[in-house]
Amino acid sequence: MANNKNRRSVTLHGRVFLQGNIKTITGLHIGGAAGALEIGGVDSPIIRDPLTNRPFIPGSSLRGKMRSLTERLHGSEQNMRIGKGVFVHICRQKKMSDAEYREMYRNCPVCSVFGVTGDEGVPHPTSLVVRDVYLGDDSAAQLDRAQTDFPYSEIKWEATIDRVTSAAVPRQIERVPAGTLFEGFELAYGIYDASGRDHFATVLKALQLVEEDYLGGLGSRGGGKVEFQITNVYARKGTEYKTEKFEVDGAQPVTDHLVTTINDWVKQTFEDVGD
């Protein structure tokens, strides 16, 4: 961000927006706060919109999963402690100059796209913004008619079994049923330099990684498989913030072909962006 001792500036050359829906292929459990538990209630509740009582997918949950899987894909060193036993990746190493760190940041598909803590002195702000995603009206009506265990959700019973006595400790897990559609999914990606433009493919690959892994909890026990449906892609660029649109035919899955096509369009749209 700091170009020299006397001048601090950063230029936003434009943003790319991806919009669409998220469909649950298997039951989805994204846990709510412990404070939301009620006496006699379910053991593990889901997070809900306090205004509508409908489940929603927090942008932080989706973004965190995208980042985590991208770090695994690149084998990124987990070298920054952010809590007890919790580490994430940053590019900074011991005895590294600020100039070396900024160069590594620009070239890192994790830090450049998903950002680092605010005190790291990086060349530009976090590139990727992930919005919360809310339950669609049609799915809400369908779940109303289905008279599920709780409003818009079902209860899945699980049990831990004693390996010797076979005694069971049952527990209730709340989840959104398979086939539910969350609408209004949106990613906004800021482009500040040429390396940021060239890292856009990381965002699309991260969506594929989430699809092939899981979102929320219970992933190893069948839950959390989701499908992204891309319905709208456009860019806004330059000081006039003009809109340029990428043509999407209906709701498209995140296939390798779509990833390549959108990535090529982003590079062409922002081809005049320099370092």
Side-chain angles (χ1 to χ4, degrees):
M1 188 180 300
N3 296 329
N4 56 51
K5 291 182 179 179
N6 301 317
R7 183 171 181 269
R8 289 170 56 85
S9 68
V10 60
T11 301
L12 175 65
H13 295 282
R15 286 194 173 99
V16 181
F17 295 86
L18 267 72
Q19 298 173 332
N21 308 314
I22 301 176
K23 182 179 180 180
T24 61
I25 305 301
T26 62
L28 176 67
H29 173 85
I30 298 179
L37 290 172
E38 297 177 355
I39 295 174
V42 66
D43 296 326
S44 184
I46 59 173
I47 191 167
R48 293 174 180 271
D49 181 341
L51 296 182
T52 65
N53 200 35
R54 292 181 178 181
F56 74 102
I57 299 174
S60 57
S61 297
L62 177 55
R63 190 177 187 283
K65 190 70 179 187
M66 293 169 67
R67 176 177 186 137
S68 170
L69 293 174
T70 301
E71 290 184 1
R72 288 187 200 175
L73 181 68
H74 292 278
S76 304
E77 182 183 4
Q78 304 299 291
N79 54 350
M80 180 180 179
R81 184 172 181 166
I82 59 173
K84 186 177 181 180
V86 178
F87 292 80
V88 297
H89 167 75
I90 63 169
C91 288
R92 186 181 290 280
Q93 303 289 332
K94 292 181 179 177
K95 299 181 180 179
M96 178 180 284
S97 70
D98 287 345
E100 291 173 325
Y101 174 58
R102 287 196 293 272
E103 184 62 22
M104 287 197 70
Y105 179 91
R106 286 193 181 92
N107 294 324
C108 177
V110 174
C111 296
S112 179
V113 172
F114 296 98
V116 293
T117 57
D119 57 353
E120 285 295 324
V122 293
H124 59 73
T126 298
S127 297
L128 182 63
V129 174
V130 182
R131 317 281 190 207
D132 293 344
V133 195
Y134 294 92
L135 182 64
D137 288 340
D138 289 345
S139 279
Q142 187 179 18
L143 292 170
D144 268 339
R145 292 193 296 272
Q147 297 184 332
T148 49
D149 300 297
F150 284 93
Y152 316 113
S153 71
E154 63 183 1
I155 297 300
K156 180 176 183 288
W157 283 90
E158 296 189 349
T160 301
I161 308 295
D162 186 292
R163 272 56 173 174
V164 176
T165 67
S166 296
V169 178
R171 58 184 180 274
Q172 299 169 311
I173 309 294
E174 185 182 17
R175 65 182 195 176
V176 179
T180 301
L181 198 65
F182 289 83
E183 300 178 4
F185 156 70
E186 182 178 86
L187 304 180
Y189 183 80
I191 293 178
Y192 297 93
D193 53 33
S195 64
R197 172 199 62 206
D198 296 340
H199 282 315
F200 182 74
T202 298
V203 177
L204 299 168
K205 290 292 182 185
L207 295 180
Q208 290 185 307
L209 289 168
V210 174
E211 279 192 339
E212 293 166 3
D213 201 83
Y214 61 89
L215 184 62
L218 313 179
S220 65
R221 303 198 294 279
K225 183 172 177 56
V226 297
E227 174 187 274
F228 297 100
Q229 302 173 345
I230 304 299
T231 60
N232 194 27
V233 180
Y234 66 96
R236 304 193 72 175
K237 61 177 293 189
T239 53
E240 296 180 348
Y241 216 44
K242 293 176 60 177
T243 300
E244 297 192 19
K245 192 170 176 57
F246 174 89
E247 294 300 327
V248 179
D249 185 14
Q252 294 292 319
V254 189
T255 61
D256 287 344
H257 174 72
L258 188 72
V259 169
T260 300
T261 307
I262 294 176
N263 193 48
D264 289 346
W265 174 78
V266 169
K267 287 186 175 181
Q268 183 177 358
T269 301
F270 292 95
E271 64 179 350
D272 57 339
V273 172
D275 289 324

